Amino acid sequence: MIEKFYTYPLQSLNTFGFDVSARCFIKAYATQDILQLRDDRDFTRGKRLVMGGGSNLLFTANFDGCILQPLLQSIDVADETSEKVRLHVGAGVAWDELVRSSVERGWYGLENLSFIPGTVGASPVQNIGAYGVEAKDAIESVEYVNLDTFTVERLSSEQCRFGYRSSIFKQELKGKAVITQVTFCLSKRPRYNTSYGSLSEMVKQLGGESLRNVRQAIVATRSSKLPDPAEMGSAGSFFKNPFVEKSAAEELLKTYPAMPTFTSGSGVKIPAGWLIEQCGLKGARRGSVGVHPKQALVLVNYGGGTGCEVLALAYEICRAVRDKFGVELEMEVNVVA
Ligand code: EPU
């Protein structure tokens, strides 16, 4: 059974809180529902969009098309040994619900990804990541409905071609796949990753390494830096952290010796938040929208703002960073026109 609505309000379904609507909105609760959309004219004609928790979307206007929200809700143990557990998780499960229940059951691998908004189905699309861990580290495979053929298909982690905030679902399969289920492989043996920033220090202060302490430290860090979507609209990091050539980073370090850098593969990652702050834009406000005062990588809607206003601010930031550092910022958020 699907549920279908027309002129559907999206304000509570996008974490920026923009007051927009969708011409048609479909809620699907099972893979079979999605397969049946093959014969649905609202879905097959014109623009369409698949949305999870709406925490990475920027609507610039009402959506003149059909939005599909997969709401498949299940966390099933597929098989387990004394070392590992394999889970099949429905796309509609709230990401943090999966992390919380895994931590409670003593399964290692997702704890660093605590408190990230959004759904399980969205997690492979942009390969969500935080505190030294990415979703790809725990994802074994992804099941989806191919919208060209309306058949169920599955990709291994390798076939998903995961990269920094990227996957095949943001590239070749963009707009062509509805993720229905993600299979995770978690460890039952302690396996911590607390090397990011001051994480290990925070965990020590909470009494030492345990799944609960890692989760608690991360929830505390995220809550102190990132706006609570219930209070202020945002979509988390608005830009990706840019990669530059090693030589370009060395050149920049001559002028800005305090610039933080992270070597990654053949390039160097520079925190976009630092670049934006150096341009004097941290906390900048333009009408109802602005740059978050505690984390310059996050753009916020103070209430009543629009997607176009946020986009104008984003362009202003890109220009300022380009002019000062010669570095191009790329948006992490998906702009929906
Ligand atoms: N920084 C500044 N000024 C700022 C913000 C950051 O100078 O206003 C500097 C910090 O001092 C630090 C560095 O930038 O040296 C990194 O900052 P932080 O640890 O806050 O992480 P980030 O690189 O800004 C990334 C992710 C976040 C994730 C954190 C923690 C991206 C685009 N963002 O941010 O992910 O939570 O690391 O791992 O990679 C998200 O994707 O929505 C998100 C919140």
Side-chain angles (χ1 to χ4, degrees):
M1 260 285 284
I2 60 159
E3 289 181 293
K4 196 194 268 192
F5 309 86
Y6 294 97
T7 319
Y8 195 69
L10 300 174
Q11 191 163 28
S12 64
L13 292 176
N14 75 101
T15 56
F16 264 119
F18 296 135
D19 188 9
V20 289
S21 62
R23 182 164 58 74
C24 176
F25 192 91
I26 296 176
K27 296 181 186 183
Y29 295 89
T31 303
Q32 203 53 36
D33 297 343
I34 299 167
L35 292 173
Q36 281 171 8
L37 292 175
R38 171 182 216 141
D39 303 317
D40 187 298
R41 285 169 160 239
D42 286 314
F43 189 67
T44 53
R45 295 187 172 186
K47 284 207 296 190
R48 67 184 169 207
L49 171 77
V50 180
M51 92 183 256
S55 55
N56 207 38
L57 293 178
L58 177 123
F59 287 98
T60 54
N62 290 333
F63 188 71
D64 187 24
C66 188
I67 296 184
L68 169 64
Q69 190 176 42
L71 290 165
L72 293 84
Q73 300 285 338
S74 56
I75 303 182
D76 297 323
V77 174
D79 50 76
E80 60 185 313
T81 64
S82 56
E83 304 263 323
K84 288 179 177 170
V85 59
R86 182 179 292 123
L87 300 176
H88 290 324
V89 188
V93 171
W95 174 262
D96 198 48
E97 182 51 30
L98 171 66
V99 177
R100 192 194 55 75
S101 71
S102 300
V103 164
E104 266 172 24
R105 293 162 90 168
W107 298 335
Y108 296 78
L110 300 179
E111 59 284 359
N112 288 37
L113 302 175
S114 286
F115 218 46
I116 294 181
T119 60
V120 165
S123 66
V125 177
Q126 53 152 349
N127 181 25
I128 57 174
Y131 307 101
V133 172
E134 291 182 329
K136 75 166 173 58
D137 302 331
I139 292 176
E140 198 174 84
S141 63
V142 177
E143 183 197 87
Y144 67 99
V145 171
N146 178 325
L147 292 178
D148 285 335
T149 55
F150 280 86
T151 49
V152 179
E153 295 178 17
R154 181 177 290 274
L155 292 180
S156 67
S157 179
E158 199 185 324
Q159 290 171 318
C160 289
R161 284 194 246 127
F162 290 121
Y164 169 58
R165 294 297 194 276
S166 171
S167 74
I168 194 167
F169 301 104
K170 274 188 105 171
Q171 312 284 333
E172 291 96 307
L173 289 180
K174 189 170 180 176
K176 295 183 179 164
V178 183
I179 293 172
T180 45
Q181 188 190 74
V182 183
T183 300
F184 296 89
C185 185
L186 304 181
S187 172
K188 288 185 175 177
R189 295 275 157 89
R191 206 186 58 176
Y192 297 101
N193 188 337
T194 53
S195 52
Y196 188 95
S198 55
L199 186 56
S200 73
E201 194 46 46
M202 287 184 76
V203 170
K204 215 179 280 170
Q205 278 169 18
L206 288 170
E209 274 183 344
S210 73
L211 277 173
R212 277 162 202 258
N213 287 350
V214 173
R215 176 167 167 82
Q216 203 183 321
I218 285 170
V219 170
T221 308
R222 288 188 76 90
S223 312
S224 70
K225 279 194 193 171
L226 300 170
D228 177 353
E231 288 166 17
M232 199 189 284
S234 92
S237 298
F238 194 91
F239 300 100
K240 292 185 190 180
N241 286 328
F243 279 97
V244 301
E245 302 263 339
K246 222 172 153 202
S247 54
E250 280 162 6
E251 207 48 48
L252 281 169
L253 281 166
K254 286 183 193 158
T255 321
Y256 306 101
M259 181 175 79
T261 54
F262 302 92
T263 305
S264 177
S266 57
V268 175
K269 202 165 165 180
I270 303 174
W274 185 87
L275 296 169
I276 297 166
E277 184 171 345
Q278 297 305 305
C279 291
L281 287 167
K282 190 171 184 169
R285 203 168 160 156
R286 305 283 180 265
S288 302
V289 305
V291 181
H292 191 49
K294 290 187 194 161
Q295 163 53 292
L297 194 47
V298 176
L299 304 191
V300 295
N301 172 17
Y302 286 101
T306 66
C308 289
E309 287 174 289
V310 171
L311 209 51
L313 174 58
Y315 290 142
E316 179 187 341
I317 291 168
C318 288
R319 245 189 335 266
V321 169
R322 187 185 306 126
D323 289 350
K324 190 170 169 78
F325 297 100
V327 174
E328 286 299 325
L329 290 185
E330 190 190 332
M331 287 184 209
E332 208 230 302
V333 165
N334 294 305
V335 177
V336 184

